[in-house]
């Protein structure tokens, strides 16, 4: 029997981060599932890519037993002033900590 694989590079936006991105009016922000970032054209995000249950099912079907998730640099959070960045980072960490055992924050 093969051991389940570990995927150390996935991106997943927990609900807490999605809510904070939707509450913003400056980049990065979401309108519906359209992401607006500084210096890039608006990008239509695939909602299913951030559906936790669907991601667990897809990973299990692919033989992945553990997925390490992280924020994506193109969001530009690291370029924000500290209070703005902290709000988004806190939302991501809070959400990441509440994900099922299948995921680990990276």
């Amino acid at each position: 029997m093969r051991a389940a694989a570990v995927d150390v590079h996935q991106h997943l936006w927990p609900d807490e981060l999605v809510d904070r991105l939707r509450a913003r009016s400056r980049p990065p922000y979401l309108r519906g599932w359209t992401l607006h970032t500084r210096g890039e054209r608006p990008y239509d995000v695939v909602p299913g890519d951030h559906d936790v249950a669907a991601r667990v099912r897809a990973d299990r079907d692919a033989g992945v037993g553990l997925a390490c998730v992280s924020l994506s640099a193109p969001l530009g959070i690291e370029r924000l002033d500290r209070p703005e960045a902290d709000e988004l980072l806190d939302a991501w960490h809070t959400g990441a900590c509440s994900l099922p055992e299948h995921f680990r924050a990276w």
Side-chain angles (χ1 to χ4, degrees):
M1 181 172 175
R2 273 175 53 186
V6 175
D7 186 336
V8 297
H9 188 180
Q10 289 192 15
H11 300 290
L12 175 66
W13 298 346
D15 290 339
E16 292 84 351
L17 179 62
V18 170
D19 291 345
R20 291 309 322 140
L21 289 169
R22 286 189 175 142
R24 293 177 53 81
S25 59
R26 295 186 308 181
Y29 67 90
L30 278 173
R31 289 299 170 264
W33 282 101
T34 301
L35 177 65
H36 298 262
T37 59
R38 202 173 306 280
E40 298 289 331
R41 289 187 143 147
Y43 173 77
D44 291 330
V45 176
V46 178
D49 289 349
H50 303 284
D51 179 314
V52 173
R55 291 281 294 274
V56 170
R57 282 191 305 275
D59 279 353
R60 289 198 174 132
D61 289 349
V64 174
L66 176 66
C68 298
V69 295
S70 65
L71 277 172
S72 179
L75 283 173
I77 293 173
E78 72 282 355
R79 291 187 301 264
L80 297 174
D81 290 335
R82 188 65 187 210
E84 280 186 276
D86 286 347
E87 182 179 2
L88 293 171
L89 291 170
D90 288 347
W92 188 83
H93 284 286
T94 297
C97 287
S98 68
L99 291 172
E101 288 285 317
H102 175 77
F103 298 102
R104 296 290 186 282
W106 183 254

